[in-house]
Amino acid sequence: GENVEQHPSTLSVQEGDSAVIKCTYSDSASNYFPWYKQELGKRPQLIIDIRSNVGEKKDQRIAVTLNKTAKHFSLHITETQPEDSAVYFCAASMIETSGSRLTFGEGTQLTVNP
Amino acid sequence: KAGVTQTPRYLIKTRGQQVTLSCSPISGHRSVSWYQQTPGQGLQFLFEYFSETQRNKGNFPGRFSGRQFSNSRSEMNVSTLELGDSALYLCASSLGDRGISGANVLTFGAGSRLTVL
């Protein structure tokens, strides 16, 4: 089955700096890669996703890049703010067969220091 | 529109007991998935139900089961509870129609936190 590895497990940055979280996946058939943000005591929320026919996607301060050949994808947050502090999870799936079955990375605790 | 609703939010059980958790998906969503979240294992997929049928199953023992009703509401049951079952159980709903763009985007509920003593 699919296996997703996520690094780093913790990341501390100064407000205004950029943060990068990286994930690798094992199944070359995976074609959907969402990122979820989970604030302390709250539910995971989708912040951005990318499909395998796209190499990069941006949404304001957030961007995701995908390298299908190397089987890795990354989350980039620019101009970080204290409210970006949360645990971020990457995930992978193959839409046609896995449907809602996501394989998650183990999460990255991001702390943005004011 | 209302989000994904899970009940109960918190519960405490003892080893050997069983528990039933409930999930009401977003109106119009036909797929309900269940995930177990623990500090050590992260988010682990339990199973997915679509139109009252189990469509996918994760690698959990048979003590973990679920079902979905005609109104798309879903329940999961854990029998013969073990200490290791203590976790946050998250339900997520989606449109579920494969091949349709965005249909597999998950919206999570707030979770049911189970403590087994």
Side-chain angles (χ1 to χ4, degrees):
Chain A
E2 175 66 279
N3 182 55
V4 176
E5 294 188 358
Q6 183 172 346
H7 300 280
S9 56
T10 61
L11 179 60
S12 182
V13 299
Q14 290 299 122
E15 183 176 359
D17 286 350
S18 295
V20 180
I21 302 170
K22 299 181 179 181
C23 291
T24 60
Y25 60 99
S26 61
D27 189 348
S28 57
S30 289
N31 57 9
Y32 175 64
F33 308 93
W35 286 87
Y36 284 83
K37 173 184 180 182
Q38 187 174 29
E39 297 177 63
L40 188 62
K42 297 192 176 181
R43 70 195 72 191
Q45 291 195 303
L46 179 71
I47 55 172
I48 195 167
D49 58 10
I50 192 169
R51 296 175 193 271
S52 60
N53 59 348
V54 175
E56 183 176 4
K57 183 176 179 181
K58 289 184 179 180
D59 183 2
Q60 299 182 8
R61 297 186 297 109
I62 294 172
V64 58
T65 58
L66 171 65
N67 183 325
K68 286 189 295 182
T69 303
K71 290 190 285 187
H72 68 69
F73 56 112
S74 301
L75 178 71
H76 305 254
I77 306 174
T78 59
E79 300 172 18
T80 54
Q81 301 166 3
E83 51 265 38
D84 294 330
S85 295
V87 179
Y88 291 80
F89 293 95
C90 63
S93 77
M94 183 182 174
I95 295 175
E96 291 78 6
T97 58
S98 299
S100 299
R101 178 177 187 161
L102 297 178
T103 300
F104 283 88
E106 293 195 1
T108 296
Q109 173 70 62
L110 173 64
T111 302
V112 180
N113 302 300
Chain B
K1 57 183 177 183
V4 180
T5 303
Q6 291 189 246
T7 58
R9 290 292 314 281
Y10 304 91
L11 63 167
I12 300 174
K13 294 286 186 177
T14 57
R15 280 179 298 174
Q17 287 187 310
Q18 73 165 11
V19 66
T20 298
L21 310 177
S22 179
C23 173
S24 293
I26 290 173
S27 178
H29 283 194
R30 293 193 290 161
S31 170
V32 174
S33 302
W34 290 88
Y35 287 82
Q36 181 193 65
Q37 186 173 26
T38 58
Q41 298 295 320
L43 283 150
Q44 301 284 318
F45 173 79
L46 282 154
F47 28 66
E48 177 201 4
Y49 286 87
F50 179 76
S51 293
E52 302 180 67
T53 301
Q54 188 180 85
R55 187 160 72 171
N56 259 306
K57 189 177 188 304
N59 299 320
F60 279 80
R63 300 185 296 109
F64 292 81
S65 62
R67 59 177 175 169
Q68 187 179 35
F69 302 96
S70 58
N71 62 357
S72 294
R73 189 178 70 86
S74 176
E75 290 181 346
M76 70 163 280
N77 184 78
V78 188
S79 62
T80 320
L81 285 166
E82 301 176 359
L83 294 178
D85 296 333
S86 295
L88 179 66
Y89 289 88
L90 290 162
C91 158
S93 77
S94 67
L95 290 169
D97 298 274
R98 289 177 180 169
I100 298 178
S101 179
N104 63 317
V105 173
L106 300 186
T107 300
F108 283 91
S112 293
R113 184 165 295 282
L114 171 65
T115 301
V116 182
L117 302 176

